[in-house]
């Protein structure tokens, strides 16, 4: 059984969004629990494709620990993670893996055009 640590982390962030037009992976907009079941679904709703382990993660807040890149970022505090993905807990997983809502009600996924 894996556990996800929900904590606020430092200033490391995904790119500023300019690269998304070039097909570089970026964190998606937020989705709430029950809106999507996988990151593949969330990215598709944005007209993009999920990129497994393609977005930057804080290694100390990543499951499985440690990882530098992640597919999902989760948080209980929707306002914080929706404003800044570095405020969530990162999960390195496949795009088709079910989102683990056990400790979270909000998710962002790693997507690219």
């Amino acid at each position: 059984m894996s556990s996800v640590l929900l904590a606020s982390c430092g200033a490391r962030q995904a790119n500023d969004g300019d690269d998304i037009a070039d097909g570089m992976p970026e964190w998606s907009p937020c989705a709430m629990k029950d809106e999507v079941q996988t990151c593949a679904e969330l990215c598709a709703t944005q007209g993009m494709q999920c990129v497994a382990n393609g977005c930057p993660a804080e290694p100390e807040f990543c499951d499985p620990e440690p990882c530098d890149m992640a597919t999902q970022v989760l948080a209980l505090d929707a306002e914080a993670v929706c404003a800044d993905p570095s405020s969530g807990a990162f999960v390195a997983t496949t795009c088709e893996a079910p989102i683990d809502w056990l400790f979270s009600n909000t998710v962002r996924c790693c997507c690219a055009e």
Side-chain angles (χ1 to χ4, degrees), residues 27-52:
W27 291 113
S28 72
C30 284
M32 302 302 290
K33 186 175 183 174
D34 299 327
E35 289 180 343
V36 294
Q37 297 300 312
T38 68
C39 279
E41 288 178 26
L42 175 54
C43 293
T45 67
Q46 301 298 313
M48 297 187 283
Q49 292 185 2
C50 177
V51 180

Side-chain angles (χ1 to χ4, degrees), residues 61-98:
F61 301 117
C62 196
D63 183 36
E65 193 177 298
C67 59
D68 291 330
M69 304 295 272
T71 307
Q72 306 171 7
V73 62
L74 300 152
L76 287 173
D77 184 347
E79 186 175 321
V81 80
C82 291
D84 178 4
S86 70
S87 66
F90 302 91
V91 181
T93 186
T94 67
C95 291
E96 293 76 21

